[in-house]
Amino acid sequence: MKIEFLEAGADECPLLRIFGRDPETIQRLRAIFKQLAEGVIDSARIEEIPGMKAVGDGAVLARTHNRDRGLNRQRGEFYWELTRDTWDNVAGLLGPFCGDLKSGFQWLDSVGEIQVLVSIDGLW
């Protein structure tokens, strides 16, 4: 699975896309989001999840916050900050991608300045 920041090139930009066909890696990502939702952890670097690879500026720190701030860039780094309830929702949105999905995409977040997309083939 790859994580890539797209600053321009489509109406939906800027966006961060998580893409590829790897149900096991999506399950790991979903497990991290569930841990954020349950308060087991407060933050996690998405690109450090086994099977995830940052392309260019795709490094993201996901963390819980007292309000949904979405994905934003601060001093050249990406921070994805959501409440525990919203992390639970995002984990739920990944469910279909944990199986044998052949194609498809899902918007995970559009609260912050940067939208977040998961896609099998990178398209939306």
Side-chain angles (χ1 to χ4, degrees):
M1 297 292 301
K2 295 180 182 177
I3 312 164
E4 182 178 32
F5 174 63
L6 301 173
E7 190 156 11
D11 291 341
E12 297 83 4
C13 290
L15 69 88
L16 183 85
R17 69 177 172 175
I18 301 167
F19 65 101
R21 185 175 289 122
D22 186 350
E24 290 179 12
T25 300
I26 289 290
Q27 289 172 12
R28 287 186 207 105
L29 179 63
R30 186 176 190 216
I32 291 294
F33 293 165
K34 285 184 175 185
Q35 289 177 11
L36 288 164
E38 295 166 0
V40 175
I41 59 173
D42 293 326
S43 65
R45 288 221 163 262
I46 293 178
E47 72 279 1
E48 292 178 0
I49 297 169
M52 298 294 282
K53 180 183 178 194
V55 176
D57 295 333
V60 177
L61 179 65
R63 59 187 178 189
T64 56
H65 199 274
N66 61 355
R67 64 182 178 93
D68 290 330
R69 297 180 62 185
L71 181 66
N72 297 286
R73 187 172 13 181
Q74 301 167 9
R75 296 179 301 280
E77 294 194 46
F78 293 99
Y79 297 93
W80 193 4
E81 300 171 314
L82 301 173
T83 64
R84 289 173 57 180
D85 285 343
T86 304
W87 280 122
D88 187 55
N89 184 53
V90 171
L93 292 172
L94 286 178
F97 295 87
C98 294
D100 193 25
L101 198 61
K102 301 294 183 206
S103 66
F105 67 92
Q106 175 67 55
W107 293 102
L108 299 179
D109 182 26
S110 60
V111 174
E113 65 184 51
I114 303 165
Q115 298 188 80
V116 183
L117 168 80
V118 63
S119 173
I120 296 293
D121 55 11
L123 302 176
W124 64 95

